[in-house]
Amino acid sequence: MKTTLKDIHNLIKACEDFDGPLFESEAVKKIADALQISKVTCRVFSGGVNTTSEVIYLAPSSKLGEEFDFSRQTTDTNTIVMRIYRFPYAPKLDEAQLDLFNIFADTILNSAGRKNLSKSYDHIFYYDPVTAVPNKTLFFKRLHALISSKNQDRYAVVYSNIRNCKIMNKLFGYETTDKMLRDFALGIYRLLSNDSFEIIARLGGDNFVLVVLKEHLDEVLKYVSSVKVSTENHEDLIEYVINVKSGVFLMTAETEDPGMIMSSANIAVSLAKKSESQSVVFYTDNTSSILNNEKAYVEELKNDLNNGKFIVYYQPIFDKGNSDEISGAEALVRWRRNGQIVSPASFIETAERNNLISDIDLYVLETSCSNLKKWEEEGKKLVPISFNFSHYDLTTSDITEKIIKTIDKYDIDHSLINIEFTEAGFHEEYEALVYAVSKLKNNGISVTIDNYGLGYSSIRLLQELEVDSIKLSHGFLSSDNPKTDIILEELIALINKMGLHVVAQGVQSEEQVKKLIGYGCNFFQTELFEKAVSERFFVKKLSSNNQ
């Protein structure tokens, strides 16, 4: 059968539209018959692993004879391998036929490679590389399609946030944590229906979003709220329960704005993250008003902070090994609100959530430095003052510079300043903490690990951080676990051997004080000896301390 240039042109056009088998293409069949080709197969290898295999051409009554392999690398990791078989009785190709054969092979191989490359780019564009589930782009594309289908009232949108991802990275490493996230996402994916608009997508970081049929919602939420993943880490089998907070928006027939859908689900998950008891919050009209109330509360916080309605109290730290004298104090913030003094327990969490905590912490530092300068000029004998900085402050890149600048503004001796970081926060911002501690120490400012024993209580902190003192958590000291006394005695001995001070806070009985002194702890910050007092009363305490 004679082949013309027009036949080759038709072959190229047919392969441009290639999307799988070419059985029905007359252009392909004509040249394949002329070359007595019986079968063409195509395999895709990704990273050396065969991911796709298909027969793209098969002649009627095909019998396999001589085979020819062609391959082409389409990306750094993907390779197309095509195998062409001729009939066993087919004569050897002459020079003209061999040219045609190579044109046939290259045309189909190029077409297959182009299609595979297109699919690879689609996957990069639409799928998250860590979890292999759809990304935000594909999610919104599917959400638009769902709304266009007019079936959105059958579905709910679930916005889920994985808690403590930073801690997981510290405990297990990034690679293991990524595998846990992948297992989490794929576990949900298996619950979803492929025959509907159900989808899970990763928005980025520790945030995922789902579209779920309302009839499946309870099952999915039950799974999402407590996902246990198992993985190997340094040859150890780890089982870890991923803590997830979710916000749910139930769509109606009138729901048509994807932005409003996501905003509502985001509002609901924000409330879930603020709740200690609820892992799932459903969006209602009241949900939005709750957040609006918080916004008004935050504005009040900002205004009162700027208008000097926050005041500083001081709780003395006593040295029971040195005639019960005041050896220092911790500066504690109070809010003068509507004629009442409000303790930080009622507003600190709100300040942390709304990025106000650094402003409050620096306000306390500046107020106290001003007081220290005034007391110095009045001839008072000064004692070091401690300031508790939240681990949220560590996300502020220049927090140490701001601390040092504030101290130097009032020409305060750096040895009079002690900065405390809560032990539980060390695990979430460890690298930033190491930098902050090093910079503060290099500038002659003392550093304390506060509330040690409340969180993970890692010995690594004592080993790697150059701190000056350890404050033992009240919760740790008051534990009724029979092992606590053994741990306390050994821990205090260890801290003392390292040349650090041990401060016990919140001790509630003289009996406990005597026991801790016997273990080697001499410094106490507790209402048993003195509660936090205003500046005026603290100055009187300092005066009596000098006598």
Side-chain angles (χ1 to χ4, degrees):
M1 183 184 298
K2 187 176 180 181
T3 306
T4 66
L5 289 175
K6 184 176 181 181
D7 294 329
I8 295 174
H9 177 263
N10 290 337
L11 169 70
I12 294 171
K13 288 293 294 179
C15 288
E16 282 180 352
D17 299 326
F18 170 76
D19 191 16
L22 294 170
F23 302 150
E24 299 178 2
S25 169
E26 288 299 324
V28 174
K29 185 176 185 301
K30 185 171 183 180
I31 294 181
D33 286 347
L35 297 171
Q36 297 190 48
I37 292 171
S38 62
K39 184 178 180 180
V40 180
T41 64
C42 182
R43 290 179 293 163
V44 179
F45 290 83
S46 181
V49 178
N50 186 192
T51 58
T52 305
S53 296
E54 61 180 328
V55 177
I56 59 176
Y57 178 78
L58 188 67
S61 306
S62 64
K63 294 181 180 180
L64 303 185
E66 189 177 6
E67 61 186 55
F68 301 83
D69 282 352
F70 300 84
S71 68
R72 183 151 300 157
Q73 190 168 332
T74 59
T75 68
D76 288 342
T77 58
N78 282 15
T79 301
I80 298 284
V81 176
M82 186 175 71
R83 180 166 290 172
I84 300 177
Y85 298 86
R86 297 183 71 218
F87 285 103
Y89 51 78
K92 186 176 180 180
L93 297 169
D94 61 28
E95 188 173 344
Q97 289 174 323
L98 185 58
D99 287 341
L100 181 60
F101 183 87
N102 288 330
I103 290 172
F104 178 88
D106 281 342
T107 301
I108 295 180
L109 183 59
N110 285 340
S111 186
R114 186 171 62 251
K115 285 294 180 182
N116 179 258
L117 191 58
S118 176
K119 288 178 182 177
S120 296
Y121 284 136
D122 280 349
H123 197 275
I124 292 170
F125 190 69
Y126 287 122
Y127 288 84
D128 175 60
V130 173
T131 61
V133 299
N135 61 15
K136 180 167 63 176
T137 303
L138 184 54
F139 172 79
F140 276 105
K141 186 177 181 180
R142 295 273 187 87
L143 185 57
H144 279 289
L146 170 58
I147 293 170
S148 298
S149 75
K150 303 298 182 183
N151 289 312
Q152 63 267 41
D153 59 325
R154 297 177 56 209
Y155 291 83
V157 171
V158 182
Y159 193 130
S160 293
N161 173 258
I162 295 178
R163 313 298 291 158
N164 302 325
C165 257
K166 289 182 179 179
I167 293 179
M168 289 166 64
N169 282 327
K170 296 290 184 300
L171 293 175
F172 310 125
Y174 289 94
E175 187 175 337
T176 300
T177 300
D178 283 349
K179 184 181 182 304
M180 289 177 167
L181 291 180
R182 187 159 54 250
D183 291 346
F184 165 79
L186 293 178
I188 297 171
Y189 176 80
R190 294 186 190 102
L191 293 176
L192 305 181
S193 169
N194 293 325
D195 301 325
S196 68
F197 285 98
E198 290 190 322
I199 185 176
I200 174 174
R202 188 184 187 197
L203 297 178
D206 48 12
N207 295 308
F208 292 81
V209 63
L210 296 78
V211 172
V212 182
L213 282 163
K214 291 177 181 178
E215 62 200 63
H216 294 162
L217 185 58
D218 288 344
E219 177 189 7
V220 171
L221 287 178
K222 183 178 179 182
Y223 179 86
V224 170
S225 296
S226 183
V227 181
K228 182 183 286 186
V229 293
S230 298
T231 188
E232 287 188 5
N233 186 41
H234 302 300
E235 299 182 354
D236 290 331
L237 183 64
I238 299 169
E239 282 197 344
Y240 188 84
V241 177
I242 294 180
N243 180 14
V244 182
K245 296 284 190 174
S246 297
V248 181
F249 177 75
L250 301 174
M251 289 191 280
T252 67
E254 289 72 37
T255 304
E256 294 185 344
D257 182 359
M260 182 276 290
I261 294 170
M262 292 302 294
S263 175
S264 300
N266 193 21
I267 288 171
V269 78
S270 296
L271 284 180
K273 286 158 66 175
K274 294 171 184 178
S275 171
E276 293 293 328
S277 58
Q278 287 182 284
S279 60
V280 179
V281 170
F282 283 75
Y283 178 86
T284 65
D285 291 338
N286 187 49
T287 308
S288 187
S289 68
I290 291 172
L291 280 190
N292 288 335
N293 289 339
E294 176 160 309
K295 287 179 183 177
Y297 185 72
V298 169
E299 285 303 311
E300 187 181 358
L301 269 173
K302 288 180 182 178
N303 292 333
D304 283 4
L305 184 61
N306 292 331
N307 293 326
K309 292 189 178 181
F310 281 75
I311 56 178
V312 178
Y313 276 36
Y314 299 89
Q315 185 171 27
I317 299 172
F318 291 91
D319 182 356
K320 302 300 286 187
N322 189 14
S323 304
D324 291 351
E325 71 173 21
I326 296 175
S327 63
E330 181 176 357
L332 300 167
V333 69
R334 299 289 186 267
W335 183 10
R336 191 187 291 114
R337 185 187 188 215
N338 300 328
Q340 296 183 332
I341 301 298
V342 180
S343 76
S346 65
F347 62 82
I348 286 297
E349 284 190 10
T350 302
E352 288 177 338
R353 286 196 301 268
N354 292 277
N355 301 317
L356 280 176
I357 192 64
S358 293
D359 294 336
I360 293 174
D361 289 342
L362 289 168
Y363 174 87
V364 173
L365 177 65
E366 173 134 12
T367 301
S368 295
C369 284
S370 175
N371 287 339
L372 279 167
K373 190 64 180 176
K374 181 178 65 175
W375 300 338
E376 181 183 46
E377 291 171 350
E378 291 173 352
K380 302 284 192 301
K381 182 181 177 182
L382 304 180
V383 295
I385 305 296
S386 297
F387 302 89
N388 203 313
F389 275 74
S390 167
H391 68 273
Y392 289 92
D393 292 316
L394 295 170
T395 61
T396 304
S397 59
D398 59 349
I399 190 65
T400 50
E401 287 82 356
K402 288 181 177 178
I403 290 172
I404 294 166
K405 185 178 180 180
T406 301
I407 298 168
D408 290 343
K409 174 181 175 182
Y410 294 93
D411 193 26
I412 303 298
D413 188 333
H414 286 196
S415 65
L416 289 171
I417 304 297
N418 178 50
I419 303 299
E420 300 183 2
F421 293 104
T422 302
E423 180 259 327
F426 279 35
H427 301 272
E428 298 183 32
E429 301 292 345
Y430 189 77
E431 290 81 5
L433 179 84
V434 171
Y435 171 80
V437 169
S438 175
K439 185 149 191 177
L440 292 170
K441 290 285 292 175
N442 288 338
N443 281 273
I445 299 169
S446 299
V447 178
T448 293
I449 301 176
D450 188 22
N451 275 340
Y452 190 85
L454 184 65
Y456 292 94
S457 310
S458 173
I459 295 298
R460 176 190 179 197
L461 298 178
L462 303 181
Q463 178 185 2
E464 297 184 5
L465 292 175
E466 295 296 328
V467 298
D468 300 273
S469 55
I470 307 294
K471 269 190 180 180
L472 300 178
S473 161
H474 160 64
F476 182 38
L477 295 173
S478 60
S479 171
D480 55 4
N481 189 321
K483 299 177 183 177
T484 299
D485 283 346
I486 299 171
I487 295 171
L488 267 176
E489 185 173 9
E490 296 301 324
L491 178 61
I492 291 171
L494 174 65
I495 295 171
N496 283 331
K497 282 183 181 179
M498 295 176 70
L500 309 180
H501 289 304
V502 187
V503 181
Q505 54 185 343
V507 180
Q508 296 179 332
S509 70
E510 289 286 355
E511 180 183 356
Q512 198 174 25
V513 170
K514 291 178 182 178
K515 179 174 66 178
L516 289 170
I517 291 174
Y519 292 161
C521 175
N522 292 320
F523 296 94
F524 294 84
Q525 179 183 338
T526 168
E527 291 190 2
L528 184 66
F529 299 145
E530 185 64 75
K531 64 181 181 180
V533 294
S534 66
E535 176 202 346
R536 181 164 60 92
F537 284 102
F538 180 66
V539 169
K540 287 184 179 179
K541 291 287 181 184
L542 280 182
S543 299
S544 63
N545 197 49
N546 297 336
Q547 296 173 358

